[in-house]
Amino acid sequence: MGQRKLPFSRHRQGILLFVLLVLAAVGYVVVSNNADWYSTTIVKITDIQTAHTETQVAISGGKEEYYVQTIAAEVQNGKLKGSIVTLSNQYTTSGVRDEQYRVGDSLLVELGSDGKTGKILEQKRDTLVYLVAAALLLGMIAVAGVSGLLAVCSLAVNITLLTFALYCYLDGWNIMALTTVMILLFTILSLLVGNGINRRSLLAIAVTLLSIAVTAAVYLIVRAVSPALQYQMLEYAVVPDDLSALFFCETMVGGLGAVMDVAISLISTADELLEHDPHMSHHQLSVSVRAVSEDIMGTMVNVLFFTYICGGMPELLLMMRNSLTISFAWEYVLSFEMVRFLIGSIGLVLAVPISQLVLYIWTKRREAAHG
């Protein structure tokens, strides 16, 4: 049960990478020519005529240039495949709410009744997503071998679970119950698929679930005695029945990955030490685990900081350019990011003593089993 995974030999790893590289190249050709898979009309831009329409002066004094593109595009699928349609697109120099298209871009459009004009819905980006995903897969296998492959499998499982959960939410499932089930499945499947069914994975699962549970309790207690956030200002919120529950759930899921990382790091360190010295006392083990936690804690907290706080920087800068105050931006933008960051960091901190508690219980049972 505590066996370690055997790594790929360099020869097998090289063969696997070559096969995946060939498959990735074939997949790129397929994804680049998959317009027939879409029910929505796909067009490919063949010609663009651009005209400047106006200049607007912002409150801060900066200028915003407006342009209109008259686009000729060839239909790639459906009954009108091969015909040319004319489209119009307005864009600005800032590109905050629009974008500039170029010859060769593929667009999803809604054709007019005449079949010669249409409305642009969005740009077709599946080729870009495919290339980035293929690069990630090849990179992880090249660097980590079989562990990288298992990590990719774990990621695929999580994406599938998340997609299923979103459909369940849209079907009216209770968001709190759904999130609880998803956290359990994310944790168990991520660690078992990524690290195998072994002692380390089982202990890390226990640490992760306990840490998230205590973190959730801390958050709920603080929320109960604190003024409510302006939940109606949540980005992309569609005003469900309880925005506070939605925010709570997304915060718990958001911090789950970081907590799992700390848990598996500390448990793996302790297990490795016990494999080399089965008679190590719990005190020595606890000191070693604490030393490792001190090394990784600062890095992980900074990862959460950059992930959450810096995620709101574009909107913050846009508000400041339009002469909105820092206090306004804080209340309606950064307050949510700060809460996510703080709750995630609390989860990381709690994972350390909870890891030590789980290790203490396990080592005591291990000592009792061996007499």
Side-chain angles (χ1 to χ4, degrees), residues 164-175 178 240-242 246:
F164 175 74
L166 291 174
Y167 279 112
C168 290
Y169 175 64
L170 293 176
D171 284 340
W173 287 39
N174 179 275
I175 185 65
L178 183 60
D241 295 334
D242 191 355
L246 178 63

Side-chain angles (χ1 to χ4, degrees), residues 136-312:
L136 175 63
L137 171 61
L138 292 171
M140 292 183 72
I141 293 176
V143 171
V146 67
S147 296
L149 182 60
L150 290 173
V152 171
C153 293
S154 174
L155 178 62
V157 169
N158 284 335
I159 292 174
T160 303
L161 282 174
L162 180 59
T163 303
F164 175 74
L166 291 174
Y167 279 112
C168 290
Y169 175 64
L170 293 176
D171 284 340
W173 287 39
N174 179 275
I175 185 65
M176 298 290 282
L178 183 60
T179 300
T180 302
V181 173
M182 286 299 105
I183 286 176
L184 286 170
L185 292 177
F186 283 145
T187 302
I188 294 171
L189 293 178
S190 294
L191 291 170
L192 293 184
V193 174
N195 299 281
I197 304 176
N198 52 50
R199 179 174 58 223
R200 297 180 183 185
S201 295
L202 298 178
L203 292 175
I205 289 171
V207 171
T208 301
L209 294 179
L210 285 172
S211 299
I212 290 296
V214 177
T215 302
V218 171
Y219 175 82
L220 292 174
I221 292 171
V222 173
R223 190 180 72 175
V225 298
S226 303
L229 294 170
Q230 300 293 330
Y231 295 112
Q232 69 274 12
M233 297 300 295
L234 276 172
E235 192 174 11
Y236 306 124
V238 196
V239 193
D241 295 334
D242 191 355
L243 284 174
S244 63
L246 178 63
F247 181 72
F248 166 74
C249 293
E250 71 172 62
T251 302
M252 291 300 105
V253 174
L256 180 62
V259 173
M260 273 196 292
D261 186 70
V262 171
I264 194 64
S265 297
L266 298 182
I267 294 298
S268 295
T269 298
D271 193 53
E272 193 74 26
L273 290 171
L274 287 173
E275 283 189 3
H276 285 84
D277 184 6
H279 303 291
M280 177 180 289
S281 67
H282 173 72
H283 175 72
Q284 292 174 310
L285 191 63
S286 179
V287 169
S288 299
V289 168
R290 180 173 291 277
V292 173
S293 68
E294 291 172 357
D295 290 336
I296 66 175
M297 193 59 62
T299 303
M300 292 303 301
V301 168
N302 277 293
V303 166
L304 287 178
F305 175 80
F306 289 122
T307 300
Y308 288 128
I309 302 300
C310 295

Side-chain angles (χ1 to χ4, degrees), residues 108-127:
L108 281 75
V109 303
E110 180 182 333
L111 292 179
S113 57
D114 58 1
K116 296 181 179 180
T117 59
K119 174 185 176 182
I120 298 174
L121 301 177
E122 61 179 314
Q123 188 169 352
K124 181 176 178 286
R125 293 186 173 87
D126 55 355
T127 303

